[in-house]
Amino acid sequence: MEFPFDVDALLPERITVLDQHLRPPARRPGTTTPARVDLQQQIMTIVDELGKASAKAQHLPAPITSASRMQSNRHVMYVLKDTSARPAGKGAIIGFLKVGYKKLFVLDDREAHNEVEPLCILDFYIHESLQRHGHGRELFQYMLQKERVEPHQLAIDRPSQKLLKFLNKHYNLETTVPQVNNFVIFEGFFAHQHRPPAPSLRATRHSRAAVLDPSPAAPVRKLPPKRAEGDIKPYSSSDREFLKVAVEPPWPLNRAPRRATPPVHPPPRSSSLGNSPERGPLRPFVPEQELLRSLRLCPPHPTARLLLATDPGGSPAQRRRTR
């Protein structure tokens, strides 16, 4: 892939590693250097054009690799330059490989969910005119050495059929582990992880919680020993303390008589209908025994005396009962 500027001077090495800053690499001594802003703009142009070519080759609706995406994510891009072909003395780009770490939830061979953060293959492109010349294997092998990973430890984001054949041919990656997302992992992905044989989901959750929280567990409180049935004495003073509490009589019997106090006249209130009448203090409450005694000693009414006197047929006993 050719560009209108000098690619050979911009990228001095055969394979250049670009991060999210998209800074131009160190230049060779003795070469003329234009403004650094122009160099970064040229690198951004290379990234954008490579992303468009990769999307077109994979029949994607939009590019998944661009300069703006590189600057907003912590991805690494390996760019392969053609050192043999020098059209018009400016050099050319063969292809690129973009990788990055992502937090994924993947299924293992026992269909158990695992939260991992592997190195993922996000985009891989070699120019159509330079495929099947060993450039893809050279770029992929350089990335494995630089990142210090094995091929079976990688997760590939929506690989094409060409990429799956490439991995099967050069790295014997054929058997995949079915997933529910767009990432593909191969057999042996979990080989480096030491897992207990077929743990349950609850046991796994407890073990993870213990690893995340190394603090000691709270001491278990011991309950007092239960007494035997024969030791409990019914209605004993120790077990029936609540029986000693005196039960207060209901209202109004629980109110003691009190002496009348002189009325305190509140300040007069005004209303639309005039001042409300003043009320005197309530009479003190009379206990029940005293009330019954007063009724028993109360003299008969004069009307009752008249009725008893005018009733000639009434016997003295009946009159006494009536009285």
Side-chain angles (χ1 to χ4, degrees), residues 265-281:
H265 298 282
R269 296 183 298 174
S270 60
S271 64
S272 60
L273 300 177
N275 295 336
S276 61
E278 298 181 359
R279 296 181 179 180

Side-chain angles (χ1 to χ4, degrees), residues 30-291:
T31 57
T32 58
T33 59
R36 194 170 185 85
V37 179
D38 296 339
L39 295 179
Q40 189 173 16
Q41 187 63 37
Q42 292 176 2
I43 291 179
M44 295 176 65
T45 302
I46 293 177
V47 174
D48 290 336
E49 294 300 325
L50 289 175
K52 293 177 182 178
S54 176
K56 183 179 179 180
Q58 301 181 55
H59 304 285
L60 299 178
I64 59 176
T65 300
S66 62
S68 59
R69 288 176 177 265
M70 286 289 299
Q71 291 175 341
S72 60
N73 296 279
R74 294 186 177 181
H75 297 161
V76 179
M77 188 172 178
Y78 294 85
V79 181
L80 179 61
K81 183 186 68 172
D82 190 0
T83 56
S84 59
R86 296 179 58 85
K90 296 183 180 180
I93 299 296
I94 298 177
F96 75 98
L97 174 62
K98 186 177 73 171
V99 297
Y101 286 91
K102 284 184 173 292
K103 185 175 293 185
L104 305 175
F105 289 91
V106 297
L107 301 175
D108 56 11
D109 50 357
R110 289 168 288 188
E111 297 184 356
H113 289 271
N114 298 269
E115 183 179 359
V116 295
E117 193 173 3
L119 184 66
C120 303
I121 305 297
L122 304 176
D123 203 356
F124 189 22
Y125 170 73
I126 299 295
H127 195 269
E128 291 80 3
S129 61
L130 297 175
Q131 293 180 3
R132 300 184 181 276
H133 289 75
H135 300 300
R137 178 178 173 81
E138 177 186 1
L139 185 60
F140 204 91
Q141 193 66 27
Y142 183 87
M143 181 274 300
L144 294 177
Q145 296 176 0
K146 193 76 174 180
E147 300 294 339
R148 297 180 181 180
V149 295
E150 296 295 331
H152 61 269
Q153 298 176 352
L154 300 172
I156 299 92
D157 184 12
R158 288 174 291 188
S160 61
Q161 292 298 326
K162 287 186 178 181
L163 181 55
L164 293 177
K165 293 179 181 180
F166 170 85
L167 296 175
N168 184 18
K169 176 181 178 180
H170 298 287
Y171 300 102
N172 297 325
L173 297 179
E174 182 178 5
T175 305
T176 61
V177 181
Q179 301 296 321
V180 295
N181 49 28
N182 296 325
F183 286 84
V184 173
I185 60 176
F186 292 91
E187 187 178 12
F189 180 84
F190 298 97
H192 62 287
Q193 299 184 6
H194 302 283
R195 300 172 297 172
S200 62
L201 185 60
R202 181 174 299 179
T204 306
R205 187 184 298 111
H206 288 316
S207 62
R208 289 181 180 176
V211 172
L212 295 177
D213 188 9
S215 58
V220 180
R221 185 178 61 178
K222 295 183 178 180
L223 299 177
K226 185 178 179 180
R227 293 186 298 177
E229 295 294 337
D231 298 341
I232 301 177
K233 298 179 180 180
Y235 304 101
S236 61
S237 59
S238 60
D239 296 334
R240 299 294 184 266
E241 293 292 338
F242 64 92
L243 295 178
K244 297 181 180 180
V245 180
V247 180
E248 186 178 0
W251 186 87
L253 302 179
N254 59 350
R255 301 184 61 181
R258 56 183 179 181
R259 299 178 59 183
T261 56
V264 179
H265 298 282
R269 296 183 298 174
S270 60
S271 64
S272 60
L273 300 177
N275 295 336
S276 61
E278 298 181 359
R279 296 181 179 180
L282 298 176
R283 299 181 61 183
F285 176 76
V286 180
E288 182 182 6
Q289 301 295 334
E290 188 175 343
L291 178 61

